[in-house]
Amino acid sequence: MLRDTLRRMSQLDPAAALAHAESVWEQSILPALERYIAIPNRSPAYDAEWREHGHMERAALLIADWCRARPVPGLALEIVRLPNRTPLIWMEVPGATRETVLLYGHLDKQPEMSGWSEGLGPWTPVRRGDRLYGRGGADDGYSAFAAITALELLARARARHARCVVLIEACVESGSGDLPAYVEHLAARIGKPSLVVALDSGCGNYDQLWGTTSLRGLVTGTLRVEILREGVHSGDASGVVPSSFRILRELLSRLEDERTGELRVRELHAAIPPDRSAQAKAAAAVLGESLATRFPFVPGARPMADGAAERVLARTWQPTLSITGIDGLPALGNAGNVLRPFTAAKLSLRIPPTVDGAAATAAVKRVLEANPPYGARVSFHAESPGQGWNAPPFAAWLERAMAEASQSHWGAPAAFMGEGGTIPFMGMLGAKFPEAQFLITGVLGPGANAHGPNEFLHIPMAKRLTCAVARVLEAHAEAQP
């Protein structure tokens, strides 16, 4: 059992650890990340022929080859391949204690997205100062490199750590549909971790270590409205045949108040715990107005919520709806005077951390498909939901280790906040290992723009985070009897 006090002095010298981390990043990790960014290994939801294209395999091999070559004593690595599943990289490093640490990241990517600035592109790695631009560098290609380098730092310092298992999946951007099968397949080899480290989250700024205390869940699916078998002349039919777009708009109003953005379905809401409200106020004091200014609003536009604490809670504990894609609408240059037969929209609903994803999905489907206007054919085809996650309280040893790491490598206290994104693995692990401690962190800070154009990795943040992970792994071992 882990103790809440630290027994031994740290063997990691912060200055020496950072110097070595910077050397590894500059000489080895960044060149490898550039090769990784150049691979268009879009997640299966965005590349139905991912097997035939071979990009996911190339990315997995690149990361695996790099990790195998690092001087980490006892490192064992395997690319596990279950039938009809994306590959998963399994790594294991023996430790000096009986406990197990599970480190997590992913290697699949979001699609290209339009709007990249001149000279930048999703598959074109470009370094400009402290930033490495390109799809997947920050979300989440860096994670495997950082995890193995953290273990390398511990080996160089002869510092103790527990047995470490590293899982790098290739399906998270598609909802992690393959991951449960791998966790079941590898259950005996994984064991029962007492600490989980996930490097797929965000940070409120690049000035300190951030710990993620909650993640929203995700309900996604395609809402399709069909009213005609084929398109017809709008002058002939309008006034008799309702527009499929108007029907879709009416259905969306069942979910959302279009004036305020508030969701109307009761099952999509949850009470905000008092400690998370207090945490939001503390994070707001650190961030100030940056949550209102970090996004590229057009001139004159403003955020939905007023007040810094309210914005923190709005993006971490409030349910929201986004429309991320539409089918059935021609490009403007091809938009004739035709009443179209159908409109389909991709819905992305972020739900509070404690809301059950399956129940929320069922509620959305029920609300949208009931009593179709004008007898239209209405369907909501849901994808696998992403379960949210609310962290257990930090043990004293972990809270102290994070504070030490933040002061040592950033010169500022650690900060804590929920995140608006989803890591389905965390909900799964939280349910499976309720006694485990969690360090959920990452490099997705202001402007990093994961999933959008001009995604970048903040290089100094990644270097320091590598050292912070090493310190937490050491502290985990120190806290054991």
Side-chain angles (χ1 to χ4, degrees):
M1 180 177 293
L2 296 179
R3 305 187 309 171
D4 277 350
T5 57
L6 299 183
R7 186 175 64 184
R8 304 173 183 88
M9 294 293 292
S10 172
Q11 295 296 307
L12 277 171
D13 176 77
L18 183 57
H20 185 68
E22 288 182 334
S23 174
V24 174
W25 269 92
E26 291 294 337
Q27 297 177 23
S28 187
I29 296 179
L30 290 172
L33 265 181
E34 290 178 357
R35 297 194 299 275
Y36 165 82
I37 287 171
I39 301 173
N41 57 312
R42 292 174 295 171
S43 200
Y46 311 104
D47 184 3
E49 298 180 339
W50 64 269
R51 295 180 188 84
E52 293 79 3
H53 292 153
H55 302 312
M56 202 71 76
E57 185 72 9
R58 288 171 54 207
L61 288 171
L62 185 156
I63 292 172
D65 288 345
W66 187 92
C67 292
R68 281 195 188 100
R70 300 311 301 174
V72 177
L75 171 64
L77 186 150
E78 175 187 354
I79 300 179
V80 186
R81 298 178 177 86
L82 292 179
N84 301 314
R85 303 284 186 185
T86 51
L88 178 139
I89 300 177
W90 161 276
M91 291 180 272
E92 183 176 357
V93 178
T97 77
R98 296 171 300 184
E99 302 287 339
T100 294
V101 177
L102 179 59
L103 297 100
Y104 167 85
H106 71 87
L107 61 86
D108 57 315
K109 301 175 185 176
Q110 283 280 318
E112 295 87 335
M113 187 69 178
S114 60
W116 290 75
S117 298
E118 185 177 355
L120 302 178
W123 320 125
T124 304
V126 174
R127 180 171 182 176
R128 293 179 179 172
D130 288 339
R131 300 178 176 186
L132 176 62
Y133 288 89
R135 176 66 79 233
D139 184 26
D140 187 40
Y142 88 98
S143 59
F145 300 98
I148 292 302
T149 303
L151 289 166
E152 182 178 329
L153 294 177
L154 291 169
R156 283 176 55 85
R158 300 183 183 275
R160 299 169 77 250
H161 61 80
R163 168 181 176 261
C164 290
V165 170
V166 184
L167 297 183
I168 306 296
E169 70 158 314
C171 196
V172 72
E173 303 295 5
S174 302
S176 289
D178 292 343
L179 192 57
Y182 278 109
V183 171
E184 179 65 25
H185 177 70
L186 298 167
R189 295 170 65 181
I190 293 172
K192 186 179 180 181
S194 55
L195 172 64
V196 176
V197 178
L199 300 176
D200 186 29
S201 193
C203 50
N205 56 36
Y206 301 116
D207 303 323
Q208 57 209 119
L209 175 63
W210 286 81
T212 297
T213 54
S214 64
L215 296 158
R216 285 191 293 186
L218 179 63
V219 172
T220 55
T222 299
L223 173 60
R224 185 179 177 93
V225 175
E226 300 173 83
I227 194 66
L228 293 166
R229 296 190 303 275
E230 60 186 16
V232 296
H233 193 299
S234 63
D236 182 34
S238 61
V240 177
V241 177
S243 160
S244 63
F245 186 89
R246 180 165 67 85
I247 297 172
L248 184 138
R249 184 175 62 182
E250 180 180 340
L251 294 172
L252 292 178
S253 291
R254 296 180 181 181
L255 291 181
E256 177 192 52
D257 183 331
E258 60 271 19
R259 294 173 299 108
T260 65
E262 182 177 353
L263 295 196
R264 290 171 161 153
V265 181
R266 176 180 52 82
E267 292 90 336
L268 302 181
H269 291 264
I272 302 174
D275 60 334
R276 297 300 181 230
S277 294
Q279 200 171 65
K281 292 179 181 178
V286 173
L287 298 174
E289 291 300 303
S290 65
L291 269 184
T293 59
R294 67 187 288 180
F295 301 108
F297 285 108
V298 298
R302 62 182 186 274
M304 294 166 59
D306 294 324
E310 288 75 13
R311 293 183 192 118
V312 171
L313 290 173
R315 68 181 285 273
T316 58
W317 278 89
Q318 297 292 351
T320 57
L321 169 65
S322 301
I323 307 300
T324 59
I326 293 185
D327 273 349
L329 295 175
L332 294 178
N334 296 321
N337 290 317
V338 174
L339 199 61
R340 298 173 299 99
F342 80 94
T343 303
K346 182 69 173 288
L347 275 54
S348 173
L349 294 110
R350 299 290 176 174
I351 56 176
T354 53
V355 168
D356 180 79
T361 300
V364 170
K365 184 175 179 67
R366 183 187 71 247
V367 167
L368 291 175
E369 293 184 349
N371 302 316
Y374 302 102
R377 184 182 298 164
V378 174
S379 61
F380 179 66
H381 296 285
E383 300 172 9
S384 297
Q387 184 60 47
W389 172 78
N390 189 29
F394 289 120
W397 71 264
L398 179 55
E399 192 166 14
R400 187 178 301 115
M402 294 175 67
E404 290 175 0
S406 191
Q407 286 290 350
S408 295
H409 297 292
W410 286 269
F416 306 93
M417 182 172 63
E419 283 292 337
T422 306
I423 308 177
F425 192 38
M426 292 305 102
M428 183 193 314
L429 285 183
K432 192 174 182 66
F433 305 114
E435 296 180 0
Q437 287 287 293
F438 290 82
L439 169 60
I440 314 302
T441 188
V443 297
L444 298 174
N449 213 25
H451 299 201
N454 305 325
E455 176 186 340
F456 70 78
L457 172 73
H458 191 276
I459 298 169
M461 185 70 182
K463 294 173 179 176
R464 295 185 178 105
L465 186 59
T466 301
C467 298
V469 170
R471 174 60 192 131
V472 168
L473 294 179
E474 183 190 31
H476 171 260
E478 292 169 358
Q480 297 174 38

